[in-house]
Amino acid sequence: MNVKKTLGLGVVSAALGLTLVGGGTFAYFSSTSTSSASFNNGTLSLQSDPSVIVNLSNLKPGDTVLRDFKLKNDGSLNIPKVVLHTSSTITDALGDNGAHNFKDDIIVTFLVNKDKLTTPLLVISLADLESQSPDLVARGILGAILGGEKSGIKAGTSDNLTIQFAFKETLQPQNYYQGDSLALTLNFEASQEAGTQK
């Protein structure tokens, strides 16, 4: 009886030992690491000062009006170009303009971008300007020679521009424009730089 008991205990002990060894073959070391990243989008924020740039009133043929204004980049991203979109509405007070277009006789001259050292940027009639979209912060040849800023507006900086509006003198009576008014809207469109690998 003692021999059976001893053999039984031996078999049980051996089975238990095999179970522990066999179970141990499935054990492994593990380590977990978590990496977190946050993404903040940059901002484009173009401000123009003053908000009402053009107030043309009580003009007569031959008059010129100068306006200084500032384009400021309040965002965190650089602005490579600022495109101007122009629209205007004419009120023909007496309905006598006929084939004459007041927009043809308002000449817009972008005299200077003081930061880019460009002068003049563009000389064009208001009618033609409405069909174009000039970049107001591009550096021209003169600016490159004289050391003006590169094209665009860096984050946190601004560009100062001067624009002249002239009522063209045709040396002919222009009585049909008397009492007329022109509402001018200038919209500045800023674009972002091309994406880069970070």
Side-chain angles (χ1 to χ4, degrees), residues 127-175:
D128 289 338
L129 181 59
E130 288 187 348
S131 65
Q132 296 190 21
S133 302
D135 180 4
L136 299 183
V137 294
R139 179 173 73 171
I141 296 172
L142 185 61
I145 293 170
L146 299 177
E149 292 178 357
K150 292 183 179 178
S151 296
I153 307 176
K154 290 184 179 180
T157 67
S158 61
D159 270 19
N160 296 284
L161 294 95
T162 300
I163 296 181
Q164 175 182 278
F165 300 89
F167 190 169
K168 184 168 69 175
E169 171 64 79
T170 63
L171 302 178
Q172 297 292 326
Q174 294 170 280
N175 295 331

Side-chain angles (χ1 to χ4, degrees), residues 55 112 167:
N55 181 14
V112 64
F167 190 169

Side-chain angles (χ1 to χ4, degrees), residues 28-73:
Y28 57 90
F29 291 116
S30 69
S31 176
T32 303
S33 176
T34 302
S35 177
S36 62
S38 62
F39 297 90
N40 294 317
N41 290 335
T43 57
L44 284 179
S45 177
L46 180 69
Q47 303 292 328
S48 64
D49 179 35
S51 56
V52 178
I53 295 169
V54 183
N55 181 14
L56 302 179
S57 60
N58 204 28
L59 293 179
K60 63 183 180 300
D63 282 353
T64 59
V65 177
L66 286 177
R67 290 289 182 264
D68 293 323
F69 66 98
K70 179 185 289 186
L71 296 176
K72 185 177 181 183
N73 183 354

Side-chain angles (χ1 to χ4, degrees), residues 50-157:
S51 56
V52 178
I53 295 169
V54 183
N55 181 14
L56 302 179
S57 60
N58 204 28
L59 293 179
K60 63 183 180 300
D63 282 353
T64 59
V65 177
L66 286 177
R67 290 289 182 264
D68 293 323
F69 66 98
K70 179 185 289 186
L71 296 176
K72 185 177 181 183
N73 183 354
D74 282 335
S76 63
L77 300 175
N78 295 335
I79 295 175
K81 65 166 53 175
V82 177
V83 174
L84 174 67
H85 300 286
T86 309
S87 60
S88 58
T89 305
I90 297 171
T91 301
D92 183 359
L94 302 176
D96 60 349
N97 286 0
H100 302 285
N101 184 354
F102 193 26
K103 296 179 187 182
D104 288 328
D105 289 330
I106 297 294
I107 305 303
V108 184
T109 305
F110 294 88
L111 289 177
V112 64
N113 180 323
K114 296 170 187 171
D115 298 275
K116 304 297 184 280
L117 300 179
T118 51
T119 176
L121 292 173
L122 188 64
V123 179
I124 194 168
S125 73
L126 183 55
D128 289 338
L129 181 59
E130 288 187 348
S131 65
Q132 296 190 21
S133 302
D135 180 4
L136 299 183
V137 294
R139 179 173 73 171
I141 296 172
L142 185 61
I145 293 170
L146 299 177
E149 292 178 357
K150 292 183 179 178
S151 296
I153 307 176
K154 290 184 179 180
T157 67

